[in-house]
């Protein structure tokens, strides 16, 4: 299985090698999509975690036992359709092709299944149509 999750680290845990244990002890593969870690503040990490069902469940149990809050990431980045002017600025910025121009209509399409939540489009969008929800 493969899932994207958000980890909220309390300040006392931000320097713990949690991801190392996920790989070594639970055979999980992880890909860090975002990380915001400031000294003495809560850390936030968005990761894509993949592995066998049992390993995944045990890995999540381990994370929670460390005192880390785990959220499943569902719709992390959304487009506010009413705000989008289809200007196309985001198309050149999006690294995965989740934002692209339909050559027939010249409208900008947002394919959320390709979005990796890098947030590059959020500050780039002139009318602030791209929004992040956790
Ligand atoms: S930059 Fe914003 S307004 Fe322009 S096409 Fe992309 S989402 Fe729409
Ligand atoms: S968050 Fe990143 S991957 Fe998702 S639509 Fe914006 S630029 Fe593309």
């Amino acid at each position: 299985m493969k899932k994207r999750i958000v980890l909220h680290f309390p300040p006392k845990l931000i320097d713990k090698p949690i991801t190392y244990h996920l790989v070594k002890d639970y055979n999980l593969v992880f890909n860090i999509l975002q990380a915001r870690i400031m000294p003495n503040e809560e850390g936030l990490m968005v990761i894509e975690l993949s592995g066998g069902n049992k390993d995944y469940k045990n890995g999540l149990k381990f994370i929670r036992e460390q005192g880390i809050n785990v959220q499943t990431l569902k719709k992390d980045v959304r487009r506010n359709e009413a705000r989008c002017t289809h200007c196309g600025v985001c198309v050149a910025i999006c690294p995965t092709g989740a934002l692209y121009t339909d050559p027939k209509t010249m409208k900008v399409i947002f394919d959320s299944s390709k979005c990796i939540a890098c947030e590059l489009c959020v500050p780039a969008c002139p009318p602030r149509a791209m929004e992040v929800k956790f």
Side-chain angles (χ1 to χ4, degrees):
M1 66 190 299
K2 186 190 274 189
K3 279 196 179 174
R4 285 187 288 171
I5 56 173
V6 185
L7 307 178
H8 296 268
F9 291 77
K12 65 181 168 68
L13 291 178
I14 58 174
D15 57 351
K16 298 277 186 235
I18 304 293
T19 45
Y20 166 79
H21 287 291
L22 292 177
V23 175
K24 184 172 171 290
D25 302 337
Y26 300 97
N27 305 313
L28 294 169
V29 176
F30 73 93
N31 181 22
I32 298 175
L33 304 175
Q34 275 184 56
R36 288 187 206 142
I37 296 172
M38 303 289 287
N40 303 319
E41 287 181 25
E42 187 191 80
L44 182 144
M45 195 184 276
V46 182
I47 62 173
E48 190 171 71
L49 206 54
S50 48
N53 277 358
K54 197 172 167 204
D55 286 331
Y56 183 86
K57 276 185 194 162
N58 289 337
L60 278 199
K61 186 166 172 269
F62 162 75
I63 296 174
R64 290 195 169 104
E65 282 170 358
Q66 304 309 305
I68 295 166
N69 181 21
V70 182
Q71 265 182 292
T72 303
L73 193 60
K74 288 182 182 146
K75 279 201 160 183
D76 43 325
V77 172
R78 297 177 194 173
R79 183 166 70 174
N80 182 328
E81 298 299 332
R83 283 195 183 174
C84 177
T85 59
H86 298 272
C87 68
V89 168
C90 57
V91 173
I93 289 167
C94 179
T96 63
L99 288 156
Y100 63 95
T101 305
D102 181 335
K104 284 187 191 153
T105 62
M106 296 310 286
K107 297 266 186 194
V108 175
I109 310 291
F110 174 45
D111 180 351
S112 60
S113 67
K114 290 187 183 165
C115 178
I116 58 165
C118 70
E119 292 185 36
L120 289 175
C121 58
V122 176
C125 173
R128 298 287 184 263
M130 300 306 292
E131 300 170 347
V132 184
K133 308 270 182 199
F134 287 110

